[in-house]
């Protein structure tokens, strides 16, 4: 393909849905083309985890034709699109600048994110943590569990998670010297994965958004937890999709929006 050759938005959508079919998304989710024109000619694509004001401003400033995010900007049903609220303002901006907007969320969690996170951790003999789809050929779902590259203590495992996902800090539930061989990983918000991790026989669950009571309940069931934050692991969506888009559409200009952890910690 020649450099800077435009591609229709619908052709890109076809490719994305071949990779992570919307049918794999959870019933409560909202994925796909959420704003803009399907027939839009795309020459430049902006990729981000969230469609924040800053991300949308950068997409506009750099002349993006398509914004691709993991988390959907439009989640709950909306009855009006006006500049009176922050979601409406963002949609209005996207439409005013003729930027098509596509989100791939839990469908990517199942077909992309789970294996990518397990790859980063080097998990061996991996299996699906929470099966959400099953047919004669395969079982698919959220998260993965398997053997770590070597037996390590909880403290060593937490340090490994920090290094692998380039994190400043992690929150840990469990005794630092406890030995770990089998780990479960579920990027994003993983409190609902505690039961599945216990059932899988994992000794630690690596995830995000674990609250006080969930942490205590996990430990009561013999499961340690490394909370790497919601953004901490899911940020791998961006380099993953940049690489995918460059490979599938070499004629397009693909760039990652500037993003950082939305909060900071004072020690």
């Amino acid at each position: 393909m020649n450099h800077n050759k435009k591609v229709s938005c619908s052709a890109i959508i076809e490719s994305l849905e071949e990779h992570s079919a919307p049918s794999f998304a959870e019933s409560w989710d909202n994925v796909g083309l959420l704003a803009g024109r399907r027939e839009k000619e795309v020459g430049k694509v902006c990729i981000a985890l969230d469609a924040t004001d800053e991300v949308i401003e950068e997409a506009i400033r750099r002349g993006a034709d398509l914004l691709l995010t993991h988390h959907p900007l439009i989640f709950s049903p909306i009855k009006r699109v006006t500049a009176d609220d922050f979601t409406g303002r963002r949609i209005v901006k996207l439409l005013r600048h003729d930027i098509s907007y596509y989100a791939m969320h839990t469908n990517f969690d199942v077909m992309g994110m789970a294996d990518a996170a397990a790859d980063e951790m080097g998990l061996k003999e991996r299996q699906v943590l929470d099966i959400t789809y099953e047919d004669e050929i395969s079982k698919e779902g959220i998260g993965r569990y398997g053997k770590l590259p070597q037996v390590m203590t909880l403290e060593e495992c937490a340090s490994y998670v920090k290094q692998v996902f380039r994190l400043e800090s992690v929150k840990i539930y469990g005794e630092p010297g406890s030995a770990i061989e089998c780990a479960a990983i579920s990027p994003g918000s993983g409190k609902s994965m505690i039961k599945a991790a216990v059932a899988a026989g994992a000794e630690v669950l690596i995830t995000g958004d674990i609250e006080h009571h969930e942490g205590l309940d996990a430990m009561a069931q013999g499961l340690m937890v490394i909370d790497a934050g919601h953004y901490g692991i899911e940020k791998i969506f961006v380099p993953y999709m940049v690489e995918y888009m460059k490979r599938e559409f070499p004629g397009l200009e693909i760039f990652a929006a500037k993003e950082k952890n939305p909060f900071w910690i004072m020690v």
Side-chain angles (χ1 to χ4, degrees):
M1 192 183 285
N2 296 327
H3 195 64
N4 290 336
K5 184 179 176 185
K6 292 198 171 187
V7 178
S8 74
C9 184
S10 58
I12 294 171
I13 289 170
E14 198 176 309
S15 174
L16 295 175
E17 295 189 350
E18 208 171 284
H19 180 283
S20 304
S23 57
F24 286 110
E26 298 277 5
S27 58
W28 48 262
D29 205 2
N30 190 29
V31 301
L33 184 68
L34 302 188
R37 300 187 294 124
R38 200 173 286 271
E39 70 276 11
K40 165 83 178 174
E41 288 291 300
V42 176
K44 197 180 282 192
V45 181
C46 175
I47 299 176
L49 195 66
D50 293 280
T52 61
D53 291 313
E54 293 79 10
V55 163
I56 291 170
E57 285 298 338
E58 185 178 353
I60 292 166
R61 193 172 64 250
R62 296 181 65 175
D65 303 298
L66 173 67
L67 172 61
L68 171 62
T69 70
H70 180 49
H71 296 129
L73 168 60
I74 305 168
F75 202 71
S76 306
I78 50 178
K79 291 188 175 180
R80 56 182 63 83
V81 178
T82 70
D84 293 342
D85 68 87
F86 73 93
T87 303
R89 270 197 305 278
R90 291 173 187 176
I91 297 165
V92 167
K93 266 186 189 173
L94 288 166
L95 296 178
R96 199 170 76 218
H97 291 88
D98 196 17
I99 298 172
S100 292
Y101 169 56
Y102 190 93
M104 45 200 307
H105 189 211
T106 52
N107 52 326
F108 181 79
D109 286 339
V110 173
M111 303 302 285
M113 183 82 80
D115 276 321
D119 285 343
E120 295 285 338
M121 287 294 296
L123 293 187
K124 300 175 288 190
E125 299 170 34
R126 75 180 67 156
Q127 294 184 60
V128 176
L129 180 60
D130 182 34
I131 297 165
T132 56
Y133 175 89
E134 194 171 351
D135 61 21
E136 302 78 38
I137 305 163
S138 65
K139 291 177 181 178
E140 304 294 350
I142 307 287
R144 297 290 184 267
Y145 70 94
K147 287 187 175 175
L148 288 164
Q150 63 199 53
V151 176
M152 48 182 86
T153 65
L154 177 59
E155 191 169 8
E156 287 166 344
C157 187
S159 179
Y160 179 52
V161 169
K162 271 182 68 180
Q163 176 198 326
V164 162
F165 295 106
R166 297 177 295 284
L167 304 169
E168 286 180 17
S169 64
V170 291
K171 189 165 73 176
I172 306 154
Y173 293 90
E175 289 300 318
S178 304
I180 297 167
E181 184 178 17
C182 179
I185 187 161
S186 183
S189 185
K191 55 190 173 190
S192 62
M193 293 295 121
I194 289 170
K195 189 177 174 184
V198 170
E203 288 137 345
V204 67
L205 171 62
I206 301 151
T207 188
D209 294 349
I210 295 294
E211 292 164 16
H212 177 80
H213 295 292
E214 282 95 33
L216 290 177
D217 291 350
M219 288 195 294
Q221 296 170 81
L223 179 71
M224 294 170 274
V225 178
I226 297 171
D227 186 335
H230 197 115
Y231 174 82
I233 303 175
E234 286 201 328
K235 67 176 189 278
I236 64 175
F237 169 81
V238 177
Y240 183 110
M241 287 313 301
V242 166
E243 191 183 316
Y244 175 83
M245 289 294 289
K246 283 182 174 176
R247 189 172 65 244
E248 294 296 309
F249 300 98
L252 298 184
E253 190 180 328
I254 314 293
F255 68 93
K258 288 183 176 69
E259 287 181 290
K260 61 178 195 286
N261 206 326
F263 65 88
W264 55 282
I265 293 171
M266 182 183 284
V267 179

